[in-house]
């Protein structure tokens, strides 16, 4: 059975409840979509952690080689990688106990979706997290005192 993305209400709840987002395939190149989305998510108040073994720091955040290497809890794993790379990323997202696997626009993998769902994750495919955040008018995070 083909994957269906969650409803707008479910996406709003996911984005409202999340505090930490890992961006797999993040880039320090300001011309790349992952850079712009990471910046947008930071400005919306999320803790955003880049995942890229070829980067050391992006937008002031330490970059990690894989999800497994991140020493804190991740709510959403946002993926900017080719579809064929996503099943392994889905497995890592399950291993670390993420709440959701989000495959960016034009990234579709039924295999990755099935693995993530089997591990209890919410799955979003072929959708930009930044555009979805704006379209659903999710309120910015407020900093806790």
């Amino acid at each position: 059975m083909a994957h269906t993305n969650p409803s707008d209400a479910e996406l709003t709840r996911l984005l409202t409840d999340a505090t930490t987002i890992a961006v797999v395939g993040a880039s320090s190149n300001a011309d790349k979509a992952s850079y712009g989305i990471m910046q947008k998510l930071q400005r919306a108040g999320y803790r955003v952690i880049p995942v890229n073994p070829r980067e050391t720091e992006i937008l002031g955040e330490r970059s990690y080689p894989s999800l497994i290497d991140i020493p804190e809890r991740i709510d959403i794993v946002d993926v900017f990688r080719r579809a064929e790379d996503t099943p392994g990323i889905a497995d890592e997202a399950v291993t670390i106990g993420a709440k959701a696997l989000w495959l960016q626009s034009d990234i579709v993998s039924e295999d990755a979706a099935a693995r993530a769902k089997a591990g209890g994750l919410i799955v979003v495919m072929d959708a930009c997290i930044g555009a979805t955040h704006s379209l659903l008018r999710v309120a910015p995070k407020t900093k806790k005192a």
Side-chain angles (χ1 to χ4, degrees):
M1 187 168 157
H3 169 76
T4 302
N5 282 338
S7 68
D8 285 355
E10 291 168 308
L11 292 173
T12 299
R13 188 169 33 258
L14 172 64
L15 291 167
T16 300
D17 292 347
T19 57
T20 306
I21 300 173
V23 178
V24 179
S27 174
S28 60
N29 180 343
D31 294 332
K32 298 278 189 176
S34 63
Y35 183 94
I37 294 301
M38 187 173 161
Q39 192 171 51
K40 177 183 176 62
L41 294 171
Q42 282 181 324
R43 288 180 179 155
Y46 294 99
R47 166 101 165 93
V48 186
I49 301 171
V51 178
N52 185 330
R54 293 185 301 265
E55 300 279 0
T56 55
E57 184 178 294
I58 302 170
L59 289 166
E61 293 289 342
R62 177 181 171 194
S63 183
Y64 292 88
S66 73
L67 291 170
I68 304 295
D69 297 309
I70 299 172
E72 57 192 278
R73 183 142 170 51
I74 302 298
D75 297 311
I76 300 172
V77 174
D78 183 33
V79 183
F80 284 88
R81 295 289 306 276
R82 294 185 312 245
E84 57 265 27
D85 297 332
T86 60
I89 296 166
D91 292 342
E92 283 192 12
V94 169
T95 298
I96 66 166
K99 294 178 185 170
L101 177 71
W102 194 302
L103 305 184
Q104 281 292 135
S105 300
D106 300 323
I107 304 171
V108 176
S109 172
E110 293 294 338
D111 185 17
R115 291 178 188 208
K117 285 180 194 173
L121 276 66
I122 297 166
V123 177
V124 181
M125 283 198 302
D126 191 20
C128 176
I129 194 170
T132 301
H133 189 274
S134 295
L135 287 170
L136 296 176
R137 296 190 172 116
V138 177
K141 300 283 175 194
T142 55
K143 303 290 182 198
K144 292 187 172 121

